[in-house]
Amino acid sequence: MYDQSKLSELIRFARVDAGSTIIDVYPGDGDWTRLFSDVVGPEGRVYSFVPAEVAHFNNDPVGRMRTLAREPGRENVEAVSADLVAIPEVMQQADVLWMHLFYHDLHTALIQTKGATAADFNRAVYERLKPGGSYVIVDHAAAAGAGTSDAQSLHRIDPASVREEVEAAGFVLDAQSTLLANKDDPHSIKVFDSLIKGETDRFAYRFVKH
């Protein structure tokens, strides 16, 4: 995924500490869930949240996260699945909500099938975070001015659009990182293209609930 120094920096950027409660949205292979589980320790909690919109995928994302939660030493992990905007009430209010390479999907047909919108999701996140909590988004950058128009076709989003949407829900931009920037990314090709896969220009924003 990333080298150890970048992983450590991203965890610091997200303000994940021992004892934190984290919601990892669309955890994929569970790499971040495992990392966060190690960092937050026995006093912390990691909710590995699989949106119902993707629960039917052939690789069984919910089953995989339930299996992960049964690994030795993962007692602080809980696999959860529900419609995206119903970030479930069974979860405690969190210190951090983490979205890695997924925010752009809020603007795709797949995620909108059950009626989810970015505005609804961001409001739901605001409700789920504790005061002072962090909403951290890492995603593939689209060209400046592209807005959300490349989300479906290229799996990219203009960072300015993300900021505008999240701030509209009441969040304040607290920090941004260029750790994963790549000035050589043309921004015009799909993120899965072999020319750029794994090396896309990525932005990281940390928003805070005041």
Side-chain angles (χ1 to χ4, degrees), residues 38-54:
D38 292 343
V39 174
V40 304
E43 302 301 314
R45 194 90 184 134
V46 182
Y47 292 103
S48 198
F49 178 60
V50 179
E53 289 85 348
V54 299

Side-chain angles (χ1 to χ4, degrees), residues 39-206:
V39 174
V40 304
E43 302 301 314
R45 194 90 184 134
V46 182
Y47 292 103
S48 198
F49 178 60
V50 179
E53 289 85 348
V54 299
H56 64 281
F57 282 10
N58 289 338
N59 62 357
D60 186 20
V62 179
R64 290 167 79 200
M65 291 309 103
R66 287 181 177 148
T67 300
L68 185 160
R70 290 194 295 269
E71 292 174 2
R74 300 290 177 214
E75 291 81 9
N76 59 3
V77 173
E78 183 177 340
V80 182
S81 185
D83 289 357
L84 194 61
V85 295
I87 297 181
E89 297 301 316
V90 298
M91 293 194 280
Q92 303 165 25
Q93 277 202 306
D95 299 292
V96 179
L97 186 134
W98 172 262
M99 288 186 88
H100 183 255
L101 309 182
F102 183 66
Y103 187 93
H104 67 272
D105 286 297
L106 298 172
H107 293 278
T108 62
L110 169 70
I111 297 303
Q112 293 171 351
T113 50
K114 294 174 177 283
T117 66
D120 289 341
F121 179 75
N122 290 331
R123 280 194 295 271
V125 173
Y126 196 87
E127 293 302 313
R128 280 291 85 204
L129 284 176
K130 298 174 184 176
S134 299
Y135 179 13
V136 184
I137 296 168
V138 179
D139 214 336
H140 307 285
T148 61
S149 61
D150 292 334
Q152 183 81 48
S153 56
L154 303 181
H155 292 270
R156 299 173 177 269
I157 192 163
D158 184 348
S161 293
V162 174
R163 180 174 179 177
E164 183 180 331
E165 291 177 353
V166 175
E167 288 180 337
F171 286 97
V172 174
L173 181 63
D174 188 51
Q176 49 191 312
S177 172
T178 57
L179 180 71
L180 305 175
N182 176 9
K183 62 181 182 354
D184 297 323
D185 181 349
H187 299 109
S188 57
I189 55 177
K190 193 175 268 195
V191 300
F192 310 116
D193 191 300
S194 59
L195 293 173
I196 202 69
K197 187 175 181 182
E199 302 293 333
T200 51
D201 182 24
R202 300 175 187 185
F203 61 94
Y205 280 159
R206 184 178 73 226

